[in-house]
């Protein structure tokens, strides 16, 4: 009998040995859009590297207290979850999965765990999602509400007093 997905999904702190995986994950999330630019393979690789380094620097600058966790499914690296709990709210800075692990309930498991933590701490759970990203529907399904827009991003929140729990 197979374990339920909730029990197969684990988080572990990201470390220096995870850098290659994190670069691969980043490429998997942005490469489809970059491919539309018509850049050759070398230019595309350079752009992916520049974007990854810029994002990494920006996260460390803006979220110095953030926690970076590698998402594992059955012991295999599947994604990353970055949260900043240092303020009055919990901020989901980043949640990304490799393509082969998307649309299988992993995101719901991770979000449910974050919601449970926010509920226990009586904190708002907030995030920003690129407008038009299909993940917005997932966030809405688990109880997040749109609270604002800063193009090209949509701000969403789950609040303990009003938040629904699946």
């Amino acid at each position: 009998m197979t374990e339920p997905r909730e029990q197969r999904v684990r988080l572990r702190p990201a470390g220096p040995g995870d850098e290659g995986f994190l670069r691969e994950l980043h490429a998997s999330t942005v490469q489809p859009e970059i491919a539309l630019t018509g850049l050759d393979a070398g230019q595309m690789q350079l752009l992916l590297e520049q974007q990854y380094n810029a994002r990494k620097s920006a996260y460390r600058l803006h979220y110095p207290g953030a926690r970076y966790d590698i998402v594992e499914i059955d012991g295999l690296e599947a994604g990353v979850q970055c949260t900043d709990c240092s303020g009055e709210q919990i901020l989901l800075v980043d949640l990304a999965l490799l393509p082969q692990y998307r649309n299988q309930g992993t995101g719901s498991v991770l979000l449910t765990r974050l919601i449970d933590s926010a509920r226990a701490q009586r904190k708002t759970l907030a995030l920003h999602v690129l407008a038009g990203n299909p993940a917005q529907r997932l966030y809405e399904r688990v109880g997040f509400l749109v609270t604002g827009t800063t193009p090209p991003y949509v701000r969403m929140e789950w609040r303990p007093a009003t938040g629904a729990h699946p």
Side-chain angles (χ1 to χ4, degrees):
M1 183 171 173
T2 305
E3 271 186 279
R5 176 150 301 269
E6 303 85 42
Q7 296 172 10
R8 296 172 42 219
V9 177
R10 305 228 189 300
L11 295 177
R12 68 165 172 80
D18 293 309
E19 193 70 20
F21 169 72
L22 292 171
R23 288 176 189 282
E24 173 191 349
L25 177 63
H26 171 74
S28 78
T29 63
V30 299
Q31 202 161 15
E33 290 84 21
I34 292 176
L36 297 174
T37 65
L39 296 174
D40 67 39
Q43 293 170 320
M44 187 181 307
Q45 188 59 41
L46 180 61
L47 182 56
L48 286 169
E49 186 72 17
Q50 289 172 338
Q51 282 186 335
Y52 175 80
N53 290 331
R55 186 166 118 186
K56 182 178 171 183
S57 294
Y59 281 4
R60 295 196 193 261
L61 175 67
H62 295 292
Y63 313 108
R67 176 183 167 120
Y68 298 83
D69 290 301
I70 300 298
V71 177
E72 293 183 339
I73 300 175
D74 297 329
L76 300 174
E77 296 169 330
V80 68
Q81 176 180 292
C82 177
T83 53
D84 187 349
C85 302
S86 62
E88 294 181 16
Q89 65 181 3
I90 298 171
L91 180 63
L92 178 58
V93 177
D94 194 7
L95 178 59
L97 297 169
L98 289 171
Q100 64 267 32
Y101 294 106
R102 295 177 194 156
N103 301 310
Q104 297 178 16
T106 304
S108 294
V109 168
L110 295 166
L111 290 169
T112 297
R113 290 177 184 172
L114 284 170
I115 287 169
D116 289 345
S117 178
R119 180 182 287 111
Q121 297 176 58
R122 298 181 187 265
K123 285 187 169 186
T124 296
L125 175 57
L127 60 86
H128 289 89
V129 63
L130 189 63
N133 185 327
Q136 184 174 343
R137 290 190 304 275
L138 168 61
Y139 300 136
E140 290 169 345
R141 274 197 316 270
V142 298
F144 282 82
L145 300 173
V146 173
T147 59
T149 58
T150 306
Y153 296 98
V154 175
R155 179 177 172 83
M156 300 184 79
E157 294 182 352
W158 178 93
R159 297 180 182 144
T162 59
H165 187 59

